[in-house]
Amino acid sequence: MADKTVKELAEMVGKTTDAVKQQLVDAGLPARAEDDLVTELEQEKLVTHLKQSHGQQEKRRISLKSKTTSTARVTGSSGKSKSVNVEVRKKKVFEKPNPEKMAEELAAREQALVESQERAAKEAEERAATKKKAEERQAATLAAMRASLGSSKKSDEKNDDISTSVVVKKGGKATVEVKPKEQSKKKVAATKPKVETAAERKAREAREKEEARLREIELETRRTQAEEAQKRTLEQMRKMAGKYTDRDPVTEVRKDEPLAEGLVGDALEESFEKERREIKRGSNSTGTRGRRRKNQDEREIKNRKNGLRSTQASQHKFEKPVEKIVYDVEISEQISVADLAQRMAVKAREVTKLLMKMGEMARESDTIDQATASLLVEEMGHNPVPVSDTKVEDDLQYAVDERSSNVQTRPPVVTIMGHVDHGKTSLLDKIRETKVANGEAGGITQHIGAYHVTTDRGVITFLDTPGHAAFSAMRSRGAQATDIVVLVVAADDGMMPQTAEAIDHARAAGTPIIVAINKMDKPGADPDRVLNELTTKEVVSEEWGGDTPMARISAKTGEGIEDLLEFISLQAELMELEAPLDGAAQGVVIESRLEKGRGPVVSVLVKKGTLKQGDLVLAGEQYGKVRALTDENGQRIKSAGPSIPVEILGLPETPAAGSEFLVVTDEKKAREVADFRTNRERERQLERQNAMRLESMFDQMGQGDVSFLNIVLKTDVRGSLEALLAALNELSTDEVKVRVISSGVGPISESDVTLAESSEAVLLGFNVRADATARRKADTANMDIRYYSVIYGLIDDVKSAMSGMLAPEHREKILGVADVREVFRSSKFGAAAGCMVVEGTIYRNKPIRVLRDDQVIFTGQLQSLRRYKEDVNEVRTGIECGLAVRGYNVEAGDKIEVFEIQEFARTI
């Protein structure tokens, strides 16, 4: 990218120049005008800042993977060869250099180089000083030696005149001849003895004494080293002897065997004896036989892989144990026959035989319960050890709890519950001084929200739950994750079904209740009526002698909100809420959603410990590192303590709402627990599907054909998805059933459209939209995608679609009745009846019934209807007529009943 002005950048990204200026300032760049240039380096810095602010990180690593496949021929145990595919995978990771990090490393290297140079200069100075001191000591020693030798110089000169010769004779004796240096001198002058002073003698004795002491120390050191080396050699020989013989290694060293004993000693003695024999025979006898022995020795060395071998080395070392081995067999709640046999070290067919004797028919792949497996293990003589299926999760939870410390008082978690449109969100808006309720679709809450508010009495965390009947699971989760429940009841509406349900959820969770009677500012407010209705659920006010605090409030004017906050603070003090501040964080997943550009966003409530950026989080079946932490206002934070709600980024998928999360340190254990939970959920889903297949099979056998309404559902958050699935399943009837083909969180994708097209399903989106590719695919397939923002509309449309699939209702209506007075015979029509219409109207083209003695004896059609000699289509009451019944002969006194069948559309 080239240098651009601020105005050009604003036009390129489609923003105002003021916004671009603010972004430049936020990125740490100096402020500038519209026409000022922004260099390429500054543009890159701005892009990096924007990515980080949106939760993205620069990708600094690139992984290159390669895979090669080849075929190898191997021979099996049966002797047959087979082909085996060999796949070799390689992975190389290249990391982009960080300029700041490189600058730091370069500065560190330069500092280390300077320090090493200073250290080398210092060492050189020390060496020079040491050398100088040594030279001075040497010079002093030489001076002392010259002084001591100065007195004996004259005697040495005289001694130089005499030469001594040593003659070695043949007998081995040596004779010494002294010859004068000059032939003229006949006598040897006697040398004068050396005169040594007392100081010189004392120095010489001290020097000789020091030299003798140093020689003794050196000799002692050499003797000690030789003894230690000999001991180590003997110890190694004893270990080798004990390793390759059946006898225990000898630990006692006898004086008569200085080298070694056992197999190694024998081998050494044999080697020495062989060498002595070869020396006696001489080098001539070491010919062909020596070469043959050498080749044999080389072959033995080649075949000898484990060192020296004894004569029993080729024998089989395994011996059958005398006593039976008893195992401690761990048994889970469900265990397969093959796994149980493997843990007891027996064959699977022996286990199946014993099960057949016990009256249980099972194959190797079948699973048996814990009680049956325990009886089987005891029958086979082993010790059963029952373990829980959740042992992996329990061990991980125990390891996390051990790291918790520094227990302190934590803020209370308060859940706002009640019926729909009773003012729960408005109450929170008044406390937080926000306007969340104004932006909600339809004016109702359809998500669970979490906020923390700082008041004069401390920090309080609020959870806002929806009040619609379909969001029962959300209300239950809110009651489980809270400390105090605030039940909001409208003073002009009284207790409603969801109010009673909220009371039941709070009691099931053992949570104290505080009642807030809202809308006290309305003219029709009747708080006494609310108190009377609440007593039916055993919720009695303190004013009436009960134990439930009740506050009369108005979310619109703010009346009574201070009393409500005081009730919450007093209740929190009585409960003495505490939690460890240090250690691994634990909590519960409040909600999860999928956002474009950010990925899975999970709202969590921390219960224990402190959640930090970079922690490894395990939530339900998903695990990953926390890339970013944001509060309920979208502000980036570094950590969150107990009772604080936050949103985290970094998980690969959206976990289920209500699942617990915890921070772990070992990624291997986190992966193991996540895989265990995934497999457990898959098995449960398969069991439910099999049960549904059997139930649907029996239902179809008993009821005939059943219509199915296929649905593909996508929602914005996990909690709304669970609520909608429960509501849609409740709409199913015996004739029309709702079948959700696919459901998930996030925008509608092309694969969703393809699945809906192939399965002839209705594609529904709740607070989400389809992307561009999905819209093009839907237009091509001529498929309608329905969007909803309020749960009422979605449920009503599904009901209408199901009503259209219902078979219409048939109702029978009697149009007229005629009495047969006389029967006439006609050659053209056969029997013709003369009748009188006594009720209603007789129609020619309508079905009829023939009644005799008020019993139906025939049902059919009229062949003709006449008035006098004219054919007519209808005859009214009180008029005579003649008629002929096709295929039946009537008699006098019968009744002809004309009727029609009407169809009525049915609704659910």
Side-chain angles (χ1 to χ4, degrees):
M1 67 185 96
D3 296 346
K4 294 182 176 64
T5 62
V6 177
K7 188 174 182 180
E8 291 174 351
L9 283 178
E11 293 176 355
M12 186 173 65
V13 300
K15 290 189 176 182
T16 62
T17 55
D18 295 337
V20 175
K21 291 178 183 178
Q22 185 62 36
Q23 289 178 352
L24 289 171
V25 173
D26 294 341
L29 300 174
R32 57 197 71 199
E34 295 182 359
D35 298 331
D36 292 344
L37 286 177
V38 182
T39 62
E40 291 186 19
L41 185 60
E42 291 176 341
Q43 294 177 28
E44 291 179 358
K45 189 173 181 181
L46 176 61
V47 171
T48 303
H49 167 71
L50 293 176
K51 286 183 178 179
Q52 292 178 355
S53 64
H54 287 83
Q56 298 182 5
Q57 292 183 354
E58 185 180 3
K59 191 172 182 181
R60 309 194 63 84
R61 289 188 176 183
I62 300 176
S63 299
L64 300 180
K65 299 179 180 180
S66 63
K67 181 173 67 174
T68 58
T69 306
S70 60
T71 305
R73 302 284 296 182
V74 297
T75 304
S77 58
S78 60
K80 296 182 179 180
S81 61
K82 59 181 180 180
S83 299
V84 178
N85 293 327
V86 180
E87 186 176 280
V88 180
R89 298 179 180 179
K90 295 182 180 179
K91 180 179 179 181
K92 291 184 178 180
V93 180
F94 299 93
E95 185 173 359
K96 182 179 179 180
N98 190 350
E100 298 179 356
K101 190 175 180 181
M102 291 176 63
E104 292 178 358
E105 292 179 355
L106 183 60
R109 284 200 296 268
E110 292 178 354
Q111 182 66 23
L113 181 60
V114 171
E115 292 178 356
S116 63
Q117 290 177 354
E118 292 178 354
R119 190 165 51 251
K122 188 175 180 181
E123 291 177 356
E125 292 177 357
E126 291 178 354
R127 285 196 300 270
T130 305
K131 185 177 180 181
K132 185 176 181 181
K133 290 181 181 179
E135 291 176 353
E136 291 177 355
R137 285 197 303 268
Q138 186 177 3
T141 304
L142 292 175
M145 292 176 64
R146 290 192 188 99
S148 63
L149 295 176
S151 59
S152 60
K153 187 176 182 183
K154 294 180 180 181
S155 60
D156 291 342
E157 291 177 356
K158 293 180 179 181
N159 291 334
D160 289 341
D161 296 336
I162 303 172
S163 63
T164 306
S165 62
V166 180
V167 181
V168 180
K169 295 185 179 180
K170 189 176 181 180
K173 295 181 181 181
T175 60
V176 181
E177 294 183 359
V178 180
K179 297 181 179 180
K181 192 174 182 181
E182 297 178 359
Q183 295 294 332
S184 61
K185 294 182 179 180
K186 301 293 181 179
K187 296 180 180 180
V188 179
T191 60
K192 295 182 179 180
K194 179 182 177 182
V195 180
E196 186 177 14
T197 63
E200 292 175 353
R201 184 172 62 253
K202 187 176 181 180
R204 180 177 53 78
E205 291 176 356
R207 187 168 58 253
E208 292 176 354
K209 186 176 180 181
E210 182 67 20
E211 292 176 356
R213 187 179 67 83
L214 292 176
R215 282 195 298 271
E216 290 178 0
I217 292 174
E218 184 178 2
L219 291 175
E220 184 67 24
T221 303
R222 291 180 180 178
R223 189 184 306 111
T224 304
Q225 292 177 354
E227 291 177 357
E228 290 178 356
Q230 186 178 7
K231 288 181 181 179
R232 286 196 299 270
T233 304
L234 294 176
E235 187 66 25
Q236 291 177 359
M237 290 181 178
R238 282 195 295 272
K239 288 182 180 179
M240 292 176 63
K243 182 178 180 181
Y244 297 108
T245 59
D246 296 332
R247 301 190 304 272
D248 295 334
V250 180
T251 58
E252 181 182 1
V253 181
R254 297 196 300 269
K255 294 182 179 180
D256 53 349
E257 286 191 4
L259 289 176
E261 60 184 16
L263 185 63
V264 176
D266 297 340
L268 291 174
E269 292 294 337
E270 183 180 356
S271 175
F272 294 153
E273 185 64 26
K274 175 183 175 183
E275 186 177 356
R276 283 195 295 269
R277 287 198 303 267
E278 289 180 354
I279 291 172
K280 288 181 181 180
R281 285 196 297 266
S283 59
N284 294 331
S285 61
T286 59
T288 307
R289 185 164 48 188
R291 288 193 297 272
R292 186 164 56 248
R293 176 62 62 89
K294 181 179 179 182
N295 295 335
Q296 183 178 357
D297 293 341
E298 290 178 356
R299 286 195 300 270
E300 290 179 357
I301 292 173
K302 281 185 180 180
N303 297 328
R304 190 182 302 151
K305 295 181 180 179
N306 295 326
L308 298 173
R309 291 178 180 267
S310 65
T311 57
Q312 300 178 354
S314 60
Q315 296 182 1
H316 197 2
K317 294 297 182 183
F318 176 76
E319 294 181 0
K320 183 178 180 180
V322 179
E323 297 181 358
K324 181 181 178 180
I325 301 177
V326 179
Y327 295 100
D328 292 333
V329 183
E330 293 185 354
I331 305 172
S332 57
E333 295 180 3
Q334 295 289 333
I335 187 172
S336 64
V337 176
D339 291 342
L340 186 61
Q342 184 179 8
R343 295 179 184 181
M344 292 188 295
V346 297
K347 295 182 179 179
R349 60 170 175 266
E350 296 182 8
V351 179
T352 54
K353 286 180 182 178
L354 189 54
L355 282 172
M356 292 174 64
K357 291 180 182 179
M358 296 170 62
E360 189 80 20
M361 301 296 295
R363 296 173 296 180
E364 295 183 10
S365 58
D366 293 342
T367 57
I368 56 178
D369 57 1
Q370 194 176 66
T372 305
S374 300
L375 292 175
L376 182 64
V377 170
E378 290 179 353
E379 187 71 20
M380 300 193 74
H382 300 286
N383 300 326
V385 181
V387 296
S388 174
D389 279 347
T390 60
K391 184 176 182 299
V392 179
E393 297 176 297
D394 297 341
D395 294 343
L396 183 60
Q397 184 68 42
Y398 179 75
V400 171
D401 292 339
E402 280 187 340
R403 301 198 302 269
S404 300
S405 61
N406 191 12
V407 178
Q408 295 183 4
T409 304
R410 65 174 177 85
V413 180
V414 181
T415 300
I416 310 295
M417 303 180 73
H419 192 69
V420 63
D421 201 25
H422 275 199
K424 300 182 296 299
T425 307
S426 300
L427 173 61
L428 274 180
D429 287 344
K430 192 64 178 178
I431 296 174
R432 300 176 57 229
E433 298 180 356
T434 56
K435 296 181 180 181
V436 176
N438 296 336
E440 292 180 332
I444 62 172
T445 301
Q446 300 178 112
H447 306 92
I448 185 169
Y451 319 94
H452 72 281
V453 181
T454 302
T455 64
D456 296 337
R457 298 170 181 83
V459 178
I460 302 176
T461 299
F462 289 99
L463 298 181
D464 185 16
T465 60
H468 190 270
F471 297 98
S472 176
M474 284 191 186
R475 289 190 291 275
S476 177
R477 286 197 299 271
Q480 294 289 337
T482 190
D483 301 318
I484 302 170
V485 171
V486 173
L487 184 65
V488 179
V489 186
D492 61 341
D493 203 6
M495 191 175 72
M496 300 299 287
Q498 272 64 58
T499 308
E501 182 192 82
I503 295 173
D504 295 337
H505 285 317
R507 285 179 174 168
T511 307
I513 300 175
I514 298 176
V515 178
I517 304 176
N518 196 14
K519 301 184 180 181
M520 289 296 296
D521 57 321
K522 283 194 171 183
D526 188 1
D528 294 335
R529 171 194 169 193
V530 175
L531 296 177
N532 286 326
E533 292 177 350
L534 288 175
T535 54
T536 60
K537 295 295 291 184
E538 299 179 0
V539 178
V540 183
S541 172
E542 291 179 345
E543 300 175 0
W544 291 10
D547 57 352
T548 304
M550 295 192 182
R552 293 174 172 85
I553 65 170
S554 173
K556 187 175 182 180
T557 62
E559 175 189 352
I561 290 181
E562 291 296 328
D563 297 337
L564 177 62
L565 295 177
E566 185 177 357
F567 285 152
I568 293 173
S569 300
L570 291 175
Q571 186 66 43
E573 290 179 3
L574 292 175
M575 297 175 70
E576 297 181 354
L577 303 174
E578 293 180 344
L581 184 61
D582 299 335
Q586 304 180 48
V588 63
V589 177
I590 301 173
E591 194 60 273
S592 60
R593 64 185 183 275
L594 191 64
E595 290 188 4
K596 186 176 182 180
R598 299 179 70 191
V601 181
V602 185
S603 300
V604 300
L605 177 65
V606 181
K607 288 185 175 181
K608 300 178 181 178
T610 302
L611 181 62
K612 302 176 183 177
Q613 184 175 351
D615 288 344
L616 181 63
V617 174
L618 172 64
E621 303 170 9
Q622 311 298 330
Y623 71 95
K625 285 191 175 182
V626 178
R627 293 191 290 108
L629 284 172
T630 58
D631 58 8
E632 64 268 19
N633 299 321
Q635 301 296 325
R636 295 285 291 271
I637 57 177
K638 294 296 183 181
S639 61
S643 301
I644 301 299
V646 291
E647 292 183 349
I648 62 174
L649 304 177
L651 295 182
E653 294 181 10
T654 55
S659 58
E660 295 184 354
F661 84 91
L662 51 89
V663 174
V664 297
T665 56
D666 191 353
E667 185 176 359
K668 183 179 179 182
K669 289 184 179 179
R671 186 187 304 109
E672 183 180 357
V673 174
D675 294 342
F676 168 76
R677 291 176 177 175
T678 303
N679 295 333
R680 182 178 60 188
E681 185 62 28
R682 187 184 298 113
E683 291 175 358
R684 291 177 179 174
Q685 187 175 1
L686 289 175
E687 290 177 0
R688 289 195 296 266
Q689 290 178 355
N690 293 333
M692 291 175 61
R693 288 195 190 101
L694 291 175
E695 292 175 1
S696 61
M697 185 185 300
F698 290 129
D699 291 342
Q700 291 178 6
M701 290 172 60
Q703 300 177 4
D705 294 336
V706 179
S707 300
F708 290 93
L709 177 62
N710 297 331
I711 292 177
V712 175
L713 178 63
K714 298 300 286 291
T715 64
D716 55 344
V717 295
R718 179 73 68 173
S720 299
L721 177 63
E722 294 177 357
L724 284 171
L725 290 177
L728 292 176
N729 288 330
E730 291 177 357
L731 296 178
S732 298
T733 62
D734 295 337
E735 298 181 26
V736 180
K737 294 185 180 298
V738 177
R739 183 164 57 188
V740 180
I741 301 297
S742 175
S743 62
V745 176
I748 299 172
S749 60
E750 183 181 4
S751 60
D752 298 327
V753 178
T754 304
L755 179 60
E757 181 184 5
S758 61
S759 59
E760 298 180 356
V762 181
L763 190 55
L764 307 178
F766 184 75
N767 285 329
V768 294
R769 296 293 182 267
D771 54 22
T773 308
R775 288 197 296 269
R776 288 195 297 269
K777 180 69 175 177
D779 294 340
T780 305
N782 196 18
M783 180 178 294
D784 184 21
I785 302 176
R786 294 182 175 270
Y787 303 110
Y788 301 92
S789 58
V790 182
I791 192 171
Y792 300 120
L794 189 147
I795 294 177
D796 291 342
D797 284 358
V798 174
K799 282 184 178 179
S800 301
M802 294 176 65
S803 299
M805 299 178 66
L806 287 174
E809 182 181 358
H810 295 84
R811 298 178 186 175
E812 188 178 285
K813 181 180 180 181
I814 298 176
L815 303 177
V817 180
D819 291 338
V820 179
R821 301 290 176 88
E822 191 67 37
V823 178
F824 303 97
R825 300 292 175 181
S826 171
S827 60
K828 186 176 180 180
F829 300 105
C835 304
M836 173 65 75
V837 180
V838 296
E839 183 182 344
T841 303
I842 302 298
Y843 295 93
R844 180 180 179 180
N845 297 324
K846 301 290 184 182
I848 66 163
R849 292 191 188 96
V850 178
L851 282 72
R852 185 173 295 167
D853 298 332
D854 293 331
Q855 293 183 0
V856 179
I857 60 176
F858 178 77
T859 301
Q861 297 283 339
L862 289 177
Q863 187 175 1
S864 67
L865 177 64
R866 290 190 176 187
R867 170 73 176 145
Y868 297 107
K869 292 184 179 181
E870 296 179 358
D871 291 333
V872 294
N873 290 327
E874 61 181 33
V875 179
R876 299 183 182 278
T877 306
I879 302 176
E880 294 181 348
C881 64
L883 54 85
V885 179
R886 182 179 293 125
Y888 192 77
N889 295 326
V890 298
E891 297 179 0
D894 293 345
K895 291 183 179 180
I896 305 298
E897 187 178 81
V898 180
F899 64 95
E900 69 175 355
I901 298 176
Q902 297 178 347
E903 291 185 357
F904 295 91
R906 297 165 58 193
T907 59
I908 294 178

